Amino acid sequence: MKGRPLKPLSPIAFLREHAVLAVSAVAAVASMVAVPPDGAYLGYFDGKTLGCLFCVLAVASALRLMGAFDRAARTVIARFGSPRSLALALVLTTAALSCVATNDMALIMMLPLSAATLVGAGRARLIPAVFVLQSLAANLCGMIVPFGNPQNLYLYSYYGLYLGDFLRTMALPFTVSVVGVVTATWWLAGRPGRKKASAEATRGITTAKAPASSTPAARAAIGAAAEPATAPVPRRPMPLSRRRLGAYGVLLALTLLAVFRVLPIAVAVAAVAATLAALDRRALAAVDWSLLATFACFFVFAGNLARIPELAAWLGPLMDDHGLVISAGASQVISNVPAAVLLSHFTDAWQPLLVGVNIGGAGTLVGSLASLITLQHFTSVRKVFPQTRDVPELSTGRFLGLFTLLNVAFLVILLVACGLCG
């Protein structure tokens, strides 16, 4: 069944879909008032970060489109039946994927699958808790590797870090985060709920239809139960093949070699682009190009601010004395990726900055841009699954309350733990 031709986005719809890019572009242009464009602008852009980020996003898109991540996730989830074990499987699978495919890609893949799985199992009341915990897992558990979060890729390249130093620095916050995520999941999934309401709300799931306004990822999660709607990518994933899987495995290895500075980034970018152009051009189209453009805007914004003497004189000493708190606090206001790019220009002490912007992914809804993906998917649950409209736990107000409570708790615990241990 062929979908209808895609309609171009209206300016308002485009700005709504790419709000972060729009804000970063406005900030970059505004900073040009203080520092007019000159030859120094060319030095703002970190080509290694942009190249590595492109490779990670492109390879992850190729693996996602061929169904590799989806099949692996479903295999893990199918082995668990109780509420606690199912919730743990969903949350920990998200954490594992964030270490391979970045935090936002992990959430894009897992949130629709989690909603469909929980509704189908009669556990719709668990969706808010699982979504919040998946968001925390994606933002905090991916911190252990340089390519788990975009800010890690940038800082790893900007400071020329070594893998051993990176792992030692992130070991404590990662351990605290994993223990906290597992504990919170075990507790929340075991709480008594309105089983009758959930059972009634999920009755008739096999006849549900997804509206055309739902996201492609959510429609794919419903599978054959949903009527396919217009989407830029076909609903059915490409069949797995050893040839493609082997080729993408080689690309992933080249990407890691480039991240760890064993291979020139230009070689990895050329190999990834050429291979995907030959095997699956959809993967190149599915790359989050807006994220790359957002990074470019952040580079201009941060580079210009770093050239303002008054700001450097104020932020430099502040970062030297309170780098952990400042970087985590800045993340709550401008998100951790732009905070990392901006604050890196004012300190040589990379450890507190690296830890701060990673744990700063918890806290407010804008602490990490990936958290907005979670909110977007949650608000679409009732549209995708009309039977869930009578489940009290699925109100947006309750979701935001639980999100804020857990995220603030994680942020405070991580700040105390990392601050006490230096």
Side-chain angles (χ1 to χ4, degrees), residues 20 42 45 131 138 169 175 203 228 264 271 298 312 316 320 379 400:
V20 178
L42 294 177
F45 303 98
F131 269 34
T169 300
T175 302
R203 187 176 301 148
F298 287 156
D320 291 337
T379 56
L400 291 175

Side-chain angles (χ1 to χ4, degrees), residues 178-265:
V178 171
V179 172
V181 165
V182 171
T183 302
T185 304
W186 186 262
W187 175 60
L188 288 174
R191 296 177 62 195
R194 296 176 173 83
K195 295 183 180 180
K196 182 177 179 181
S198 293
E200 291 176 353
T202 57
R203 187 176 301 148
I205 180 62
T206 56
T207 61
K209 288 188 177 182
S213 60
S214 63
T215 64
R219 292 194 297 270
I222 301 172
E227 180 70 17
T230 303
V233 177
R235 181 171 60 88
R236 295 183 181 276
M238 182 178 295
L240 286 177
S241 72
R242 292 184 179 181
R243 184 172 69 92
R244 290 179 183 274
L245 200 56
Y248 297 158
V250 172
L251 293 182
L252 181 59
L254 293 178
T255 298
L256 295 182
L257 290 175
V259 170
F260 298 135
R261 297 184 293 278
V262 176
L263 187 73
I265 185 58

